[in-house]
Amino acid sequence: MSDQNFPDDRTPDARRDAEQPADHARTSPVPAPDAAATPPADATIPPRPPLPGTSADAGAAFHTQPTQPYGQPVSHHGASAFGQPFATTAAPESHDRSRVGGGKIAAILVAAALVGGAAGVGGAAAVGSSFVAAPASQSSGPSSITVNNPDSVNATTAIATKVLPSVVTISASAGTSGGTGSGVILSDDGYVLTNTHVVTLDGATGDPKLSVTTSDGRVYAATIVGTDPTYDLAVIKLTDASGLTPIEFADSSKLNVGDQTVAVGAPLGLSNTVTTGIVSALNRSIQIASSAAPESEGGSQQEETPGGRTPFEFDFGQGQETPSQPKSSIAISVIQTDAAINPGNSGGALVDGKGRLIGINVAIASAGGTSTEAGSIGVGFAIPSTVAERVANEIIDNGSATHGLLGATVGDAASAPGATRAGALINEVSSGGAAASAGLRNGDIVTEFNGVAITDQVDLTAQVRALAAGSEAELTYIRDGREQTATVTLGELQQ
């Protein structure tokens, strides 16, 4: 309808569609994917884009960074916000629920998108990520899967139809800082899993204002149940939510390289975005610089050594020319995928060919020389669902999660003088710690942990941290040229 003062500027097609009855809608439900008929697909993970009005430096080495939210540019006055603590501010509330992975909670998923900053992933070079200011309406998007021809839908369409109702877009703000990321629904009453860096604005605040939008357009306020900076995971609770769709999860330890992957989230604030790819590597370990990490993280078990991998660094992306430098770093074990992941995908879901959660999107690699060149280049990382499930359950039950501690400082064996074998070199064993109790000594080289090959100190630290305090693990190590094994009962990392 239009009048002389307000002419109808819609296209003829738009006007015609608006006059059609409701049963002529162009979106149609899609049947669940058939496991036997689901072919593998290929995809990739990217880094972040540059700040508006800035130029990217060329010629820098390959580096990685965490996926981050698409936020608004801000200016800071006075002291840097990044020095503020980012511990959990809300205690777990009383609730009646089943544990994640059973009963009411079918699964957990996460998406990789941070507010105003990103972190790089370890590997061969420094990490950086760029931040792009988003228009106020940037987070808008389709509320359902569009199917114009129901007779020709493919497996990815079916996967997206199943997963989208379980993925949300998270908007976080504190003062003049803000950004968006993604999250995965854990329960019908509103528990959501995401990244710590999403809900704390890259560690800038421990008390953000959170707004969560579901795929069908419902908006909820939310509060933090608990954060786990050691593995960059967090659980939030939507206020007065009911009837939500929990995600189904798979056992990430059963994955094979080459398996199909689908990433779902809100890259650059574009909600309900779906990309596809494959598992390109498993048991990858990355190191991330983080101002939220416990100060004991670096010294209690991991020791920097010449030739070691350059740590991840969060690009806070809030306009500072010289952002605050993180005081510590975290090492995490991840799934590598080539499904396209961009800033804003953080905390979102990485699912398999049946639409089940296999990982939480957390970081991306960048080929650019500066953090302003972030964007997908086909190398992305997700926290395995087995780790995410454990951490989410502990946060919901106790407000925090535990992590294993080996009780030794380690370095890269390949960097030691006269090295003949790669692995994690034990430099010093703490008296009374897990390593000492298992009979490990200075000079031992750990080459395997619970069946996972260990090539350096980052691998060992990531695998130890993935387990809960008190867990038992089997180590394979070399002493005096002979391979031996030992069973260790891990201590607890103090956070």
Side-chain angles (χ1 to χ4, degrees):
M1 198 93 186
S2 62
D3 57 33
Q4 295 179 350
N5 295 325
F6 298 97
D8 189 343
D9 59 357
R10 295 174 295 175
T11 64
D13 286 343
R15 289 195 297 271
R16 183 169 56 256
D17 290 346
E19 296 169 359
Q20 294 294 327
D23 61 353
H24 281 223
R26 294 189 179 184
T27 55
S28 305
V30 181
D34 184 346
T38 302
D42 297 329
T44 307
I45 297 183
R48 307 200 306 168
L51 287 166
T54 62
S55 60
D57 296 330
F62 167 87
H63 57 283
T64 57
Q65 64 202 18
T67 55
Q68 316 195 59
Y70 200 75
Q72 300 173 346
V74 299
S75 60
H76 293 283
H77 303 282
S80 169
F82 304 118
Q84 298 177 3
F86 125 164
T88 301
T89 58
E93 58 186 88
S94 175
H95 51 275
D96 179 15
R97 50 164 288 281
S98 299
R99 294 181 64 79
V100 173
K104 291 188 297 181
I105 302 180
I108 59 177
L109 284 169
V110 275
L114 175 70
V115 194
V121 288
V127 176
S129 57
S130 62
F131 175 85
V132 179
S137 61
Q138 188 65 50
S139 63
S140 63
S143 60
S144 61
I145 293 293
T146 300
V147 178
N148 292 316
N149 186 356
D151 294 329
S152 64
V153 297
N154 57 27
T156 302
T157 310
I159 293 168
T161 301
K162 175 181 178 179
V163 175
L164 271 177
S166 302
V167 178
V168 299
T169 300
I170 300 171
S171 175
S173 61
T176 55
S177 302
T180 61
S182 305
V184 173
I185 297 173
L186 301 179
S187 68
D188 59 3
D189 60 348
Y191 282 96
V192 170
L193 180 61
T194 184
N195 292 136
T196 287
H197 75 258
V198 170
V199 297
T200 61
L201 298 175
D202 283 334
T205 179
D207 186 24
K209 179 181 179 181
L210 301 176
S211 177
V212 177
T213 304
T214 62
S215 63
D216 60 0
R218 286 176 287 173
V219 179
Y220 297 92
T223 55
I224 294 177
V225 177
T227 61
D228 180 53
T230 296
Y231 244 83
D232 196 33
L233 293 168
V235 174
I236 62 177
K237 180 67 166 61
L238 310 191
T239 303
D240 297 328
S242 64
L244 301 179
T245 305
I247 195 161
E248 180 185 359
F249 71 92
D251 183 350
S252 56
S253 68
K254 305 295 186 183
L255 290 172
N256 295 321
V257 170
D259 282 351
Q260 179 181 11
T261 60
V262 176
V264 182
L268 308 180
L270 302 172
S271 61
N272 301 343
T273 295
V274 177
T275 56
T276 64
I278 62 167
V279 173
S280 50
L282 292 167
N283 300 316
R284 181 76 73 198
S285 299
I286 60 176
Q287 187 175 344
I288 310 173
S290 171
S291 56
E295 291 189 8
S296 61
E297 176 79 0
S300 60
Q301 177 168 340
Q302 181 172 307
E303 178 179 80
E304 298 288 345
T305 58
R309 283 178 276 187
T310 304
F312 249 153
E313 292 180 3
F314 286 102
D315 175 7
F316 297 101
Q318 294 174 327
Q320 305 97 311
E321 293 184 3
T322 307
S324 301
Q325 294 299 313
K327 297 179 180 179
S328 190
S329 63
I330 59 175
I332 60 177
S333 177
V334 293
I335 298 166
Q336 182 177 319
T337 179
D338 65 350
I341 295 177
N342 283 285
N345 272 122
S346 287
L350 185 70
V351 300
D352 63 11
K354 296 181 180 179
R356 303 174 303 179
L357 175 75
I358 57 173
I360 299 165
N361 298 324
V362 65
I364 53 179
S366 171
T370 69
S371 63
T372 62
E373 297 175 358
S376 175
I377 60 170
V379 183
F381 307 94
I383 300 166
S385 59
T386 52
V387 178
E389 176 185 3
R390 176 187 73 80
V391 170
N393 278 328
E394 291 189 24
I395 289 177
I396 293 173
D397 289 341
N398 308 313
S400 63
T402 66
H403 294 277
L405 180 68
L406 184 59
T409 57
V410 298
D412 292 344
S415 300
T420 60
R421 183 65 184 265
L425 174 65
I426 296 182
N427 291 321
E428 183 178 354
V429 175
S430 302
S431 177
S437 298
L440 296 176
R441 303 176 188 171
N442 298 354
D444 289 345
I445 299 175
V446 179
T447 59
E448 193 172 288
F449 184 91
N450 270 355
V452 176
I454 301 299
T455 61
D456 59 17
Q457 49 149 337
V458 178
D459 281 342
L460 181 57
T461 301
Q463 291 299 324
V464 170
R465 297 290 187 263
L467 298 182
S471 298
E472 285 192 353
E474 185 173 277
L475 288 174
T476 299
Y477 63 97
I478 295 176
R479 178 186 297 169
D480 299 329
R482 296 179 52 219
E483 187 175 89
Q484 304 183 50
T485 61
T487 300
V488 298
T489 302
L490 300 176
E492 181 174 355
L493 176 70
Q494 298 302 311
Q495 303 187 64

